[in-house]
Amino acid sequence: MPDQTGPEGVSQRLNSWKEIAAFFGKDERTVKRWESIRGLPVRRVPGGTRTSVFAYVSELEAWLSAPRPVAAPPPADATAPPISRPLLLPLAAAIAILALLVIGLVATAQPPARPTPAIPAEASALYDEGVIAWTSRTASGFATAIEKFDAALALAPAFARAEVGRANVYNLISQYTLAPAAESYAKARQAAERALSLDPQSGEAYAALGFNAFYGSHEFARSAELFDKALALAPDNAQALHWYALTSMQMGKFERPLALIDRALVLQPDSRSIRANAALIHYYAGDTEAAIAMLEQLRQANPDYLAVPAYLATIYLDQRRYADFLDSYEIAASVESSVGRQLIAKAARAALPQGGEAMLRAMLDEQQRQFLAEREKAYKVAATAALLGDKQLALTYLETSVERAETIGLLVEPEFRSLRAEPRFTALLTRLGLPQGTSSPPP
């Protein structure tokens, strides 16, 4: 039952999703969607789990009654100046003047904006659920998102934002799962282009195409043009700023990516994906302490969000904090339900008492087995080989990774610092179109 007690002046408090849903007369799924998409003021218990929530009735009522923008009414006919009879023109002259006015208007008028199709409420709800699902960055989340977006498009075939949603999923799916990159990026491009055919002024669609041009076909200049177009149409598009930051980061310089991601974070301070990637970019730029602090804070509110343990594992491994690395790596493997990485974690955990090098060798052996079983990516094997100083093995796997379009992060991933003087590594930079001689901050 809701908490009815409290100090004088303190609003009635609802202590669970069930109570919040009952307050609105909705199910829990609906109010969770409102919190993620529409800013429903739900609070979380410090140090609790993702489901440990509460809300104040006064804040919920204020959110419910917040005014919506209302279009200004057209001016009343009564405000038009009266026409006195002595000023009336002869009929022929009036017709001639009217014809000239019409010709002038036709010559100078812009094409009318395409009317926005009405989207059924059910399709909008499915879209919202799809957005929540794909931002989890897990295989199950991506599958659910595609299902939701497809269902929304079945109800509303002209729903451009649902097509953008599909593009976003396919843009990311090969980066977080073992889905084939070429096939996934092709599907993303088709969905984004269809979204633009439905809504030529969609900044979101241009952002999806910009991301796709960068990672899918390595058209870096075109990618920047598409992101610039997205921001020209929608300057406050946090997603465009976010993805522009991630792509420009891969060039190995960080002033612009930091400015872009920090602006995105101001626009959407509650976005866990933007906050996590802001931490990652700050880490690559050399601000490791700030990055760890941001991720640890994010973990308190989102303990089951994949990016947090995955990014912490990357940082801790670079710092040779092997126990902390393995703790985060195991969490990430569990969240993403990766059988291969759970086996890698098990092998690493067994070898950890013998020291960091023994742990890395056990990891490498198991990673190679999982690669052959198609449950691990080549660039992950390359990274561990590089940490162990086996440059030729690392380069062999890295060449396979580039061939499979698994990664483009050669200039920023810390594991590859030791390879930068190698001719085979330089050849990979040339093949990807990445700048030569660029280096990330020292460890």
Side-chain angles (χ1 to χ4, degrees):
M1 291 296 292
D3 183 0
Q4 302 286 348
T5 64
E8 184 178 357
V10 175
S11 171
Q12 178 181 340
R13 174 169 154 164
L14 308 176
N15 291 312
S16 66
W17 284 116
K18 182 178 180 180
E19 292 180 3
I20 296 168
F23 172 79
F24 287 105
K26 301 290 185 180
D27 57 30
E28 291 185 35
R29 186 177 67 174
T30 297
V31 293
K32 288 178 181 178
R33 183 174 71 245
W34 288 353
E35 189 247 349
S36 297
I37 301 299
R38 299 173 184 171
L40 185 69
V42 174
R43 300 167 181 258
R44 281 173 172 76
V45 178
T49 66
R50 175 73 176 162
T51 57
S52 300
V53 299
F54 66 94
Y56 292 113
V57 168
S58 61
E59 293 179 349
L60 299 181
E61 289 175 339
W63 176 87
L64 192 61
S65 61
R68 302 293 189 270
V70 179
D77 292 341
T79 61
I83 301 176
S84 59
R85 187 169 297 279
L87 294 176
L88 292 176
L89 298 172
L91 180 60
I95 291 173
I97 292 172
L98 181 60
L100 289 173
L101 288 172
V102 169
I103 291 171
L105 288 172
V106 169
T108 60
Q110 296 293 325
R114 181 179 298 183
T116 303
I119 303 300
E122 185 179 353
S124 293
L126 287 164
Y127 167 81
D128 290 348
E129 292 171 8
V131 170
I132 294 170
W134 78 259
T135 55
S136 72
R137 305 297 202 271
T138 62
S140 61
F142 289 135
T144 298
I146 290 296
E147 177 185 333
K148 299 296 183 182
F149 293 138
D150 285 349
L153 286 163
L155 292 171
F159 195 178
R161 296 195 76 191
E163 284 288 2
V164 173
R166 295 179 75 254
N168 291 338
V169 172
Y170 285 120
N171 268 333
L172 288 177
I173 195 168
S174 67
Q175 295 188 11
Y176 289 89
T177 73
L178 295 171
E183 177 184 337
S184 300
Y185 285 126
K187 289 180 178 179
R189 184 175 63 254
Q190 292 167 3
E193 288 173 347
R194 173 163 163 73
L196 279 177
S197 73
L198 295 170
D199 180 5
Q201 302 302 306
S202 171
E204 292 178 317
Y206 276 108
L209 277 178
F211 189 97
N212 188 269
F214 190 95
Y215 287 105
S217 54
H218 304 162
E219 299 174 273
F220 302 142
R222 173 165 167 74
S223 172
E225 291 172 0
L226 290 164
F227 278 120
D228 287 340
K229 176 70 171 178
L231 293 173
L233 290 167
D236 291 338
N237 184 337
Q239 180 75 328
L241 291 163
H242 176 194
W243 280 2
Y244 205 174
L246 286 177
T247 54
S248 57
M249 172 193 76
Q250 301 291 355
M251 296 293 105
K253 296 184 182 296
F254 301 100
E255 183 177 356
R256 180 162 175 75
L258 285 170
L260 289 165
I261 198 68
D262 288 347
R263 184 177 161 204
L265 197 54
V266 168
L267 291 168
Q268 286 192 4
D270 295 330
S271 169
R272 59 185 185 176
S273 59
I274 293 176
R275 187 164 294 277
N277 283 319
L280 187 68
I281 294 173
H282 277 270
Y283 160 65
Y284 284 141
D287 196 354
T288 301
E289 290 185 7
I292 292 175
M294 292 171 71
L295 289 168
E296 289 290 358
Q297 183 182 33
L298 187 58
R299 179 159 62 179
Q300 294 301 314
N302 301 270
D304 57 348
Y305 182 47
L306 174 60
V308 175
Y311 291 173
L312 283 171
T314 294
I315 296 172
Y316 289 144
L317 184 60
D318 182 36
Q319 294 187 317
R320 307 299 191 266
R321 293 171 56 177
Y322 296 120
D324 291 332
F325 153 73
L326 195 50
D327 288 344
S328 293
Y329 185 90
E330 287 172 334
I331 294 170
S334 175
V335 170
E336 64 184 336
S337 300
S338 170
V339 173
R341 290 183 181 170
Q342 287 172 348
L343 290 170
I344 293 165
K346 183 179 179 180
R349 177 66 72 184
L352 182 60
Q354 302 169 42
E357 183 174 348
M359 185 201 77
L360 289 172
R361 292 200 178 279
M363 278 185 63
L364 179 60
D365 290 344
E366 190 60 41
Q367 282 177 319
Q368 290 178 294
R369 281 191 285 271
Q370 296 307 317
F371 172 77
L372 291 174
E374 299 185 350
R375 292 192 295 204
E376 182 57 292
K377 293 188 175 184
Y379 85 88
K380 290 291 188 181
V381 187
T384 306
L387 287 173
L388 285 165
D390 193 339
K391 294 182 180 180
Q392 298 311 308
L393 181 63
L395 287 164
T396 296
Y397 276 101
L398 199 54
E399 287 164 349
T400 299
S401 178
V402 170
E403 178 69 30
R404 296 183 177 189
E406 288 180 348
T407 184
I408 200 171
L410 275 64
L411 293 175
V412 296
E413 295 299 342
E415 296 91 343
F416 301 142
R417 293 189 190 110
S418 63
L419 305 179
R420 288 176 185 162
E422 299 293 323
R424 290 169 68 187
F425 186 84
T426 303
L428 289 175
L429 294 179
T430 300
R431 178 175 177 178
L432 291 170
L434 292 170
Q436 306 287 326
T438 305
S439 60
S440 340

